[in-house]
Amino acid sequence: MTRPNVSGNAPWEPIVGYSRAVKVGPYIHIAGTTATGPDGKIVGAGDPYAQAMQALRNIEAALNKAGASMKDVVRTRMFVVNIADWEKIGRAHGEFFRDIRPAATMVGVTGLVSPDMLVEIEVDAIVE
């Protein structure tokens, strides 16, 4: 069985030693993804909705590189620095998944890698 890895645009992937996505058989696991832009810098500073949207766009791009799409997502996990932002982040999640309806978890955390990061999202997908 092959195990293709997909790299993203986060500068710390080679430092920490991880991939944006790993595909094993029909399963695709997307690592915790933040609102990094093509230049590796955070998009939407101070705006949890904008950061969630960028993180989800980054996830969508990684899924596409792995041969999947958002419709293949079966589970999402959202790690949120300020849980009071749940509605803004949830609204962004709903814009991508309203009709797909994966199992979802949102957890408040004390911080992420950078203080500018407000949300990190990971997903699991199954390609049939």
Side-chain angles (χ1 to χ4, degrees):
M1 182 178 300
T2 62
R3 186 193 131 155
N5 294 341
V6 174
S7 293
N9 59 350
W12 44 86
E13 285 181 29
I15 296 167
V16 176
Y18 74 96
S19 296
R20 174 66 36 225
V22 176
K23 182 177 183 184
V24 179
Y27 305 102
I28 301 171
H29 304 280
I30 306 290
T33 303
T34 58
T36 51
D39 59 359
K41 296 181 180 173
I42 299 301
V43 172
D47 184 342
Y49 170 80
Q51 286 198 19
M53 290 295 289
Q54 181 64 41
L56 289 162
R57 283 191 288 271
N58 291 347
I59 287 167
E60 186 172 41
L63 284 167
N64 291 338
K65 286 181 186 175
S69 70
M70 294 299 241
K71 70 176 179 52
D72 299 308
V73 172
V74 296
R75 180 173 179 86
T76 66
R77 291 171 210 83
M78 295 163 273
F79 303 94
V80 180
V81 172
N82 182 355
I83 199 66
D85 291 331
W86 75 268
E87 287 184 87
K88 295 171 186 169
I89 294 163
R91 181 167 45 99
H93 186 275
E95 289 183 28
F96 280 84
F97 295 112
R98 185 165 287 112
D99 296 327
I100 300 164
R101 307 278 303 262
T105 300
M106 186 182 294
V107 178
V109 297
T110 58
L112 297 170
V113 172
S114 165
D116 292 332
M117 295 175 180
L118 304 176
V119 60
E120 183 169 315
I121 303 171
E122 57 182 49
V123 308
D124 296 317
I126 302 173
V127 180
E128 296 188 52

